[in-house]
Amino acid sequence: QVQLVESGGELVQAGGSLRLSCAASGYIFSSHAMAWFRQAPGKEREFVVSITWHGSTYYAASVRGRFTISRDNDKNTVYLQMNSLKPEDTAVYYCAARRGVVIGAWPTADYWGQGTQVIVSS
């Protein structure tokens, strides 16, 4: 059974930093690409960033230069370092996984986590 479990979301002031983690189990982590999506209140879920099994990354324009994705294949974990946070970054952040290669933003994923709430206060 595939499981993606996010953690690290909390309330933070604008300009602050957070690191989200996503622990994966139930499948071959190292052979899957990973990504983070987010969904703000009243909005559709949107792609944030992805990383391939070998470390190539793709960022949405809204977070490029502020967010950094990384993965530890030995720990079956993917991370999202978020710096210079803005109130518009407030959302539920979802970890996702998929097989194969997607160029650019992911339209969807094979597996999803349950989400972790990030609130950025102004």
Side-chain angles (χ1 to χ4, degrees), residues 14-29:
S17 298
L18 278 178
R19 189 175 84 154
L20 306 183
S21 299
C22 171
S25 62
Y27 69 103
I28 303 174
F29 179 79

Side-chain angles (χ1 to χ4, degrees), residues 12-111:
V12 63
Q13 287 191 335
S17 298
L18 278 178
R19 189 175 84 154
L20 306 183
S21 299
C22 171
S25 62
Y27 69 103
I28 303 174
F29 179 79
S30 60
S31 65
H32 283 62
M34 303 294 297
W36 290 93
F37 287 71
R38 66 186 181 186
Q39 186 167 19
K43 295 187 177 181
E44 293 187 353
R45 185 155 51 187
E46 65 173 1
F47 171 88
V48 176
V49 59
S50 64
I51 185 168
T52 65
W53 66 271
H54 54 80
S56 294
T57 58
Y58 183 86
Y59 292 86
S62 59
V63 305
R64 195 171 296 138
R66 299 188 297 122
F67 289 12
T68 303
I69 189 171
S70 61
R71 64 187 294 162
D72 185 333
N73 288 339
D74 291 332
K75 295 183 178 179
N76 288 1
T77 300
V78 63
Y79 304 97
L80 182 63
Q81 178 66 43
M82 305 186 294
N83 298 328
S84 303
L85 282 161
K86 305 175 182 180
E88 52 263 44
D89 294 318
T90 294
V92 177
Y93 283 72
Y94 296 90
C95 177
R98 66 176 296 157
R99 297 173 294 273
V101 177
V102 176
I103 306 300
W106 290 13
T108 187
D110 296 322
Y111 308 113

